[in-house]
Amino acid sequence: FKYSRGFKGAGFNTSVTYDSSGASLLFKPEFVNTFEFGYKSKFNERTKFNFAAFYVGYRNKQEILDQGYRISVANALRTNGAGIEGEFS
């Protein structure tokens, strides 16, 4: 079993904006929590089996927005992903 937590700092957009309130100027820090559970086995010198399941959860994920002449960073409130992986040889 493995758990890890990541962080990417806050910042500000430097491109020209038409937002008079300035709300799109700053973006929040990003946090990510990852969980992974796995099993590895080696039955003999020729046979092995590996399995893993994972979950990734973001809070305030930073996304790059390409708006033609302007590129900026914005936050997505919550995003997540999950999956499984198996190997037999």
Side-chain angles (χ1 to χ4, degrees):
F1 179 78
K2 182 172 91 171
Y3 166 78
S4 57
R5 181 169 172 86
F7 167 81
K8 188 189 299 183
F12 59 93
N13 291 305
T14 58
S15 62
V16 177
T17 181
Y18 298 108
D19 182 10
S20 61
S21 69
S24 66
L25 181 64
L26 300 174
F27 53 91
K28 298 176 184 176
E30 171 184 292
F31 295 94
V32 61
N33 292 309
T34 61
F35 301 90
E36 183 175 353
F37 173 77
Y39 176 75
K40 293 185 177 192
S41 64
K42 187 173 182 181
F43 300 111
N44 54 42
E45 292 302 316
R46 295 178 49 179
T47 309
K48 68 178 179 177
F49 174 72
N50 298 332
F51 173 80
F54 62 90
Y55 173 81
V56 179
Y58 286 94
R59 187 175 52 143
N60 292 325
K61 186 170 187 335
Q62 295 173 4
E63 293 289 337
I64 295 175
L65 304 175
D66 184 359
Q67 301 166 331
Y69 63 92
R70 208 176 88 192
I71 295 176
S72 62
V73 177
N75 291 103
L77 292 179
R78 292 197 180 272
T79 59
N80 57 42
I84 58 172
E85 178 180 36
E87 174 187 8
F88 178 78
S89 62

